[in-house]
Amino acid sequence: MSVVIVGGGLMGLSAAFHLRRADPQVAVTVLERDRVGAAASGASAAGVRVMGRDPAERALALESLRRWPELDRELDGDTRYRRDGGLRVAVDDAAWTAAPRWVDEQRADGVPVEVVDAREMRKLAPGLGPQCLGGVFCGIDGQAEAMPTVSAFATAARRLGARIEEGARVRGVVVERGRVAGVERSDGTRIACDVAIVAAGAWSATLLAYHGVSLPLETRALQMLLTKPAEKTLAPVLGCFDRKLSLKQLADGSFLIGGGWPALITDDAKNEWEILDASVRASRTIAATVYPATAAVALARSWAGLEAFTADDVPALGPVSGIAGLLVAAGFSGHGFALSPAIGDILARLALGLDAHDALWHRLCPDRFLEETR
Ligand SMILES: Cc1cc2nc3c(=O)[nH]c(=O)nc-3n(C[C@H](O)[C@H](O)[C@H](O)COP(=O)(O)OP(=O)(O)OC[C@H]3O[C@@H](n4cnc5c(N)ncnc54)[C@H](O)[C@@H]3O)c2cc1C
């Protein structure tokens, strides 16, 4: 049996790793048009959270978070994962009043979140700004680092015998008599396969459109800011109700600031973007409100990543009906990084015809979007 994966982001690499680990007899090839991690995965803020997720992907996130503490050992790599919790703060009365209901709704699905008052909150994160009224804490949330995680998955997949071709752009999946027969590179060469997995991030819809399959994805560029190192003071990942913020302090003391601020897409096809000054200013303002120490440090670097969003903000994961052997994993809507261990496992199981733990992902099935025009 052979499987070809289009896209060397985290989802494709995780699928390759899980496939070879589950069955060393299966030939696995990853085709990446650039280099691994060149798009969303390498640009990611790498937050590993279950707090605040849509109910449709909570079980999947819980399963993934169960895997993260052991992931370095599984991969024999270093994702720089650490579990110091996630704290989402309220900076206005409306958010603070709504926090208990937000918590109850998630706890009903087994997400271990709790309301923390101003005193407890400041014990978890001394140095929070005076505007922070209280928050919600999730002790199993945490953080990793983007490129180290990409490298750890790629190295582990290669070690187990997956072939990863970089600089290999795919033109389309070859479908014969209603089933996948192979994948065609843009230089016209083909690889025969039984199963093709489209995990091409923001470019997945274009590949599927080749077969008249319409997966409505909207591409957005998300901005990240990295400061110079500062004194180490912050352990949990900080977020903020009703404001765009994700704030972490990395091992060297630098602050990584994101949360969904937009950059400008200058060339979608070429994965090119420009940082917007207005987003930088707004991002730094909310970071400084929540954690004033960030205001005192200069920026070291800024970048963006192109990410595919679905209309309901949860991914499309699973088989494409009408084309046997075609699987898709796309539309992670700004929060796929944390899910990568579970996504790779599910894709591998689906490809191999094993029990794919349907309860974890049935609400994410691409059929909810696909209009078959074939
Ligand atoms: C700035 C930013 C911050 C984020 N922060 C978080 C966070 O804190 N927590 C979280 O959980 N998630 C976060 N996310 C989301 C997460 O990073 C993504 O959901 C995840 O990385 C998506 O992985 P992927 O493999 O699906 O896509 P990608 O990483 O985009 O990979 C797709 C790959 O396919 C390749 N490709 C495309 N077309 C072709 C083709 N025709 N032929 C061959 N290869 C092709 C691309 O070059 C690319 O490498 C963030 C995303 C961004 C952009």
Side-chain angles (χ1 to χ4, degrees), residues 72-105:
D72 281 358
R73 192 190 50 74
E74 284 188 52
L75 300 174
D76 193 12
D78 183 7
T79 62
R80 315 234 173 117
Y81 172 72
R82 59 174 226 251
R83 177 174 276 182
D84 286 322
L87 178 63
R88 191 172 294 201
V89 300
V91 292
D92 57 45
D93 287 330
W96 184 225
T97 310
R101 196 143 36 89
W102 195 72
V103 159
D104 288 348
E105 193 257 329

Side-chain angles (χ1 to χ4, degrees), residues 7 9-11 32-33 39-41 44-45 47 170 200 307 332 334-338:
L10 271 177
M11 303 311 161
E32 164 55 48
R33 67 176 182 184
S41 299
S44 185
V170 168
E307 171 82 335
F332 287 92
H335 36 81
F337 182 92

Side-chain angles (χ1 to χ4, degrees), residues 237-253:
V237 179
L238 297 182
C240 182
F241 286 101
D242 307 325
R243 307 283 195 283
K244 291 185 172 69
L245 178 71
S246 83
L247 172 61
K248 312 176 177 74
Q249 194 165 25
L250 305 185
D252 69 353

Side-chain angles (χ1 to χ4, degrees), residues 52-137:
R53 289 214 176 239
D54 188 286
E57 60 173 16
R58 268 181 203 153
L60 194 61
L62 283 169
E63 168 56 17
S64 251
L65 262 66
R66 187 187 66 74
R67 296 274 307 279
W68 272 97
E70 286 298 307
L71 200 56
D72 281 358
R73 192 190 50 74
E74 284 188 52
L75 300 174
D76 193 12
D78 183 7
T79 62
R80 315 234 173 117
Y81 172 72
R82 59 174 226 251
R83 177 174 276 182
D84 286 322
L87 178 63
R88 191 172 294 201
V89 300
V91 292
D92 57 45
D93 287 330
W96 184 225
T97 310
R101 196 143 36 89
W102 195 72
V103 159
D104 288 348
E105 193 257 329
Q106 290 176 69
R107 288 183 70 91
D109 279 342
V111 180
V113 278
E114 56 185 314
V115 175
V116 286
D117 64 17
R119 235 181 72 184
E120 272 176 282
M121 176 188 72
R122 282 172 210 286
K123 271 197 229 152
L124 292 164
L128 285 168
Q131 222 179 298
C132 301
L133 303 174
V136 174
F137 184 66

Side-chain angles (χ1 to χ4, degrees), residues 194-262:
D194 307 289
V195 174
I197 300 177
V198 174
W203 301 273
S204 301
T206 312
L207 285 162
L208 291 170
Y210 189 81
H211 299 289
V213 176
S214 153
L215 182 65
L217 299 178
E218 183 202 337
T219 303
R220 296 185 207 159
L222 306 179
Q223 166 200 282
M224 294 302 307
L225 304 175
L226 182 72
T227 70
K228 296 203 164 140
E231 188 195 343
K232 284 285 295 295
T233 49
L234 178 64
V237 179
L238 297 182
C240 182
F241 286 101
D242 307 325
R243 307 283 195 283
K244 291 185 172 69
L245 178 71
S246 83
L247 172 61
K248 312 176 177 74
Q249 194 165 25
L250 305 185
D252 69 353
S254 54
F255 291 108
L256 183 64
I257 308 169
W261 290 98

